[in-house]
Amino acid sequence: MEDRDAWFRRFHPTATPKARLVCLPHAGGSASFFFPVSRALAPDVEVLAVQYPGRQDRRQEPMIPTIGALADRITALLQDSDLPLALFGHSMGAMVAYEVTRRLEARGTGPAALFVSGRRAPDRYRDDRVHTRSDEGVIAEIRRLSGTEADLLGDEEVVRMILPVLRNDYRAVETYRHTPGALLSTPVVAFTGTEDPVAPLPDVAAWAEHTTGGFELVPLPGGHFFLTRHQDVLLRIMTERLVVPA
């Protein structure tokens, strides 16, 4: 069995959480992206921020090339719990969270909610080939989405370090194809930026077609990384879904 501590970061451990939220980062992202979420939700909700192999303290480990393989590894490490469990994924993380939810439901331990952000429904594709571009082309796409600070992109050492991860993650996203199967019974909440160039509103609304458990669409002003501007809204909705007042 793999080390759960390598995959899950508990930035603010609590002895008596009321719920757990597994957070899955975007392409090129890491667990630390969710540090503010963990801090804001503690102590009622314990956040498990996923650290994919190949980045930060796991940069020497082989990267995982497909969404399905990532979902398999994460699902195997999630232990059954009597606490409400939910998943939250942004962009690529939304696809991983969806596939983990499918696997959890298949083993009879479906989560209380699936929160997806900045991502089209699983069967809505674009002919994106960012992973086949030159290094300059990959960086240009990240700049377009404002996913990485401009000053970091000007640091040659940092760029060399993150480019292999970005290319791997974009390949995983762009080669993913949805496998038809049973609809989720888990409720789905989809957050999206109204000016997101890669997640148009109709494609995000199509998440409703993938669950029988109820669907809510939450459009918010902004682009692909709208969530950094509207963290309070996301946290309020997730807390309302997960924590029942005493």
Side-chain angles (χ1 to χ4, degrees), residues 141-200:
E141 177 66 9
I142 299 305
R143 282 202 176 103
R144 184 173 79 98
L145 298 181
S146 302
T148 304
E149 295 296 333
D151 58 343
L152 290 181
L153 290 175
D155 185 317
E156 184 179 348
E157 184 178 351
V158 172
V159 169
R160 270 203 313 270
M161 183 169 60
I162 66 173
L163 270 173
V165 171
L166 285 166
R167 198 177 295 281
N168 174 83
D169 291 355
Y170 270 103
R171 181 184 300 111
V173 170
E174 292 170 353
T175 58
Y176 170 84
R177 291 297 178 267
H178 181 255
T179 302
L183 297 179
L184 297 181
S185 58
T186 301
V188 175
V189 179
F191 303 100
T192 188
T194 53
E195 291 87 44
D196 190 337
V198 295

Side-chain angles (χ1 to χ4, degrees), residues 35-49:
F35 184 90
V37 174
S38 175
R39 180 176 55 202
L41 292 180
D44 285 344
V45 178
E46 182 182 61
V47 169
L48 306 182

Side-chain angles (χ1 to χ4, degrees), residues 63-87:
M63 291 175 281
I64 297 178
T66 68
I67 299 295
L70 265 177
D72 286 341
R73 303 276 280 275
I74 293 166
T75 305
L77 292 170
L78 284 175
Q79 299 173 342
D80 296 345
S81 171
D82 56 0
L83 289 174
L85 173 74
L87 286 86

Side-chain angles (χ1 to χ4, degrees), residues 2 7-8 22 24 50 52-53 64-78 87 92-104 107 172 176:
E2 293 185 86
W7 282 84
F8 301 131
V22 178
L24 299 115
V50 174
Y52 304 138
I64 297 178
T66 68
I67 299 295
L70 265 177
D72 286 341
R73 303 276 280 275
I74 293 166
T75 305
L77 292 170
L78 284 175
L87 286 86
M92 179 182 90
M95 303 312 303
V96 181
Y98 168 70
E99 288 293 342
V100 171
T101 299
R102 297 180 93 183
R103 287 156 173 75
L104 289 175
R107 79 181 192 191
Y176 170 84

